[in-house]
Amino acid sequence: MSRVTISIAPCDPSVSLVGDVRRITNLGVLEVRQRLSEGEPVFDQELFGNRAEDVFAKVRALLSAIEEGGHQPLVTEGGRPITPQTLQNIFHASEDEAQELRRLDDMGHA
């Protein structure tokens, strides 16, 4: 999987959106405000690694906060735009695969 970024169109972000994004990303308030104001990514990382479940949860929370803040998340994967729904589908497929591998492992087949 390639690198995924999440941003929004440049705007004057609300205090609640800045607070939500700061809480999710652990970036500073000024950093979040600047990135949102300039349309820069507030998330930029590889999805699959040692703690993929934690990254998935962070991304889902971030997408939700952006949408609840009245903005459309802008998502790219490997530098190409994708929809937030496509990203959610990637998560579901990965989670389904992991669940199947755990099931097979529990049965002694993996």
Side-chain angles (χ1 to χ4, degrees):
M1 173 57 92
S2 299
R3 193 164 203 83
V4 170
T5 65
I6 300 172
S7 62
I8 63 173
C11 68
D12 183 16
S14 68
V15 171
S16 63
L17 178 58
V18 170
D20 289 345
V21 171
R22 187 210 62 75
R23 178 182 46 78
I24 295 164
T25 63
N26 293 320
L27 296 170
V29 171
L30 295 177
E31 179 80 11
V32 170
R33 183 176 305 284
Q34 178 183 353
R35 288 182 185 201
L36 293 173
S37 296
E38 296 176 4
E40 294 295 320
V42 291
F43 178 87
D44 181 1
Q45 101 183 54
E46 296 285 333
L47 291 181
F48 299 98
N50 293 338
R51 301 187 54 99
E53 295 86 9
D54 294 339
V55 174
F56 291 2
K58 178 189 258 186
V59 169
R60 285 181 169 132
L62 187 56
L63 293 173
S64 179
I66 289 170
E67 290 172 348
E68 289 172 9
H71 298 277
Q72 175 65 37
L74 303 174
V75 181
T76 65
E77 186 266 322
R80 293 177 308 275
I82 63 171
T83 66
Q85 185 57 52
T86 298
L87 186 56
Q88 294 283 7
N89 293 344
I90 291 168
F91 292 163
H92 290 300
S94 175
E95 291 164 341
D96 289 347
E97 183 177 322
Q99 184 178 15
E100 179 64 12
L101 287 173
R102 282 190 297 274
R103 187 183 72 75
L104 290 172
D105 188 45
D106 289 346
M107 293 172 43
H109 295 293

